[in-house]
Amino acid sequence: MSCCVGEPVPRRVLLVSAHPEPRSFHAALRATAVEELESQGCIVTVSDLYAMRFKATVDHSDFPAPDTHEPLNVSLAQRRSWKDGSLAADIQTELNHLLEADLLLLMFPLWWFGMPAILKGWIDRVFLSGVVYSRSAVFELGRLAGKTALVAVTTGAPSQAYGPNSLNGEMNDILMPLQRGVLGFTGMQVLPPFVGYQVPYVGDEGRADILAEWRLYLRGMNDLVPLVMPRLADHGDALGVGVRAN
């Protein structure tokens, strides 16, 4: 995806990486993404969650100035801590990166039909209520509208294990909780995912082919059609309130 001045494409990229092994093929995919995007003129920030030892659980320590008179209500605590500037430092740093980014790139191995727990924890802690969404500020009214998101995953199973009538089902169905329930829900335009299949078993030549495909994918993102997401305007009754931004 070209990031040249004058073109309607991301200038700032937040790449969030979740893999425990720094010598992994995932690391090679990440390095390729950074190299390719920077060659296009993008400014890339990398959050390598395992290298950062990012805390993956929401708890009282996320909110240094809690209301000790009430049980912890995470959504309300997030709103209050954002408003009074008392968020834990690691959350504040990652939230700043997210809000500054034009493109959010999430990279991870597919584990048990989902993302590694550390990445789920990053979302739980960083996608703050009242900041990236609110009760009726979702989907086309989400606070992250105008941003683009992309998911890049690797699998142990071959491509034949995914798709219509396959053993594992459609990849977009597997990724639906993330692509629709997080990225689309908060207003982002979500591009079709990139998938590197059967990574542990295809050998060096096969992995080199995946890296080449990844580079071409990144160069051709302008031609991709975003995934279709629901519109809140068509489902206002689902919230029990009229549609409004708040």
Side-chain angles (χ1 to χ4, degrees):
M1 183 178 230
S2 173
C3 287
C4 296
V5 174
E7 297 185 7
V9 292
R11 292 292 298 166
R12 293 184 177 271
V13 179
L14 174 57
L15 191 167
V16 182
S17 165
H19 197 291
E21 176 51 64
R23 300 165 297 177
S24 65
F25 180 71
H26 170 95
L29 281 172
R30 183 180 64 221
T32 298
V34 173
E35 177 188 321
E36 179 59 35
L37 291 168
E38 288 184 341
S39 76
Q40 297 170 11
C42 297
I43 300 169
V44 183
T45 298
V46 177
S47 292
D48 183 346
L49 300 184
Y50 279 95
M52 295 160 58
R53 297 185 179 275
F54 188 81
K55 174 176 167 286
T57 54
V58 177
D59 58 29
H60 285 275
S61 68
D62 288 349
F63 315 106
D67 182 350
T68 57
H69 300 291
E70 297 291 339
L72 177 62
N73 180 307
V74 172
S75 294
L76 295 181
Q78 288 178 337
R79 289 170 175 260
R80 183 191 63 248
S81 294
W82 165 254
K83 184 177 181 179
D84 64 22
S86 64
L87 282 169
D90 59 343
I91 298 177
Q92 186 67 65
T93 296
E94 293 302 302
L95 181 60
N96 290 344
H97 292 329
L98 175 63
L99 296 178
E100 291 168 358
D102 301 298
L103 170 67
L104 173 63
L105 171 53
L106 302 179
M107 301 184 66
F108 57 92
L110 194 67
W111 289 352
W112 292 108
F113 284 56
M115 68 190 93
I118 197 168
L119 179 54
K120 178 58 164 62
W122 183 85
I123 292 169
D124 288 345
R125 298 182 68 222
V126 175
F127 275 56
L128 266 64
S129 175
V131 182
V132 304
Y133 75 98
S134 62
R135 185 180 184 192
S136 55
V138 297
F139 289 107
E140 76 274 19
L141 298 180
R143 302 286 176 81
L144 301 185
K147 299 182 185 295
T148 301
L150 165 63
V151 174
V153 301
T154 53
T155 74
S159 59
Q160 297 93 320
Y162 301 91
N165 304 313
S166 65
L167 178 65
N168 292 337
E170 295 274 11
M171 182 59 71
N172 279 328
D173 291 341
I174 293 169
L175 294 174
M176 187 270 288
L178 172 59
Q179 293 186 145
R180 177 171 172 169
V182 177
L183 305 175
F185 184 82
T186 56
M188 287 188 272
Q189 177 178 265
V190 184
L191 298 180
F194 176 84
V195 186
Y197 293 102
Q198 207 176 5
V199 164
Y201 310 109
V202 293
D204 291 341
E205 184 175 349
R207 287 187 283 272
D209 288 342
I210 293 171
L211 288 175
E213 292 168 5
W214 177 222
R215 191 178 294 276
L216 288 174
Y217 181 102
L218 292 170
R219 290 177 181 176
M221 284 196 287
N222 279 337
D223 299 324
L224 297 176
V225 177
L227 302 178
V228 176
M229 293 291 160
R231 286 178 45 81
L232 182 59
D234 299 328
H235 300 279
D237 57 339
L239 303 179
V241 295
V243 176
R244 64 182 185 279
N246 61 13

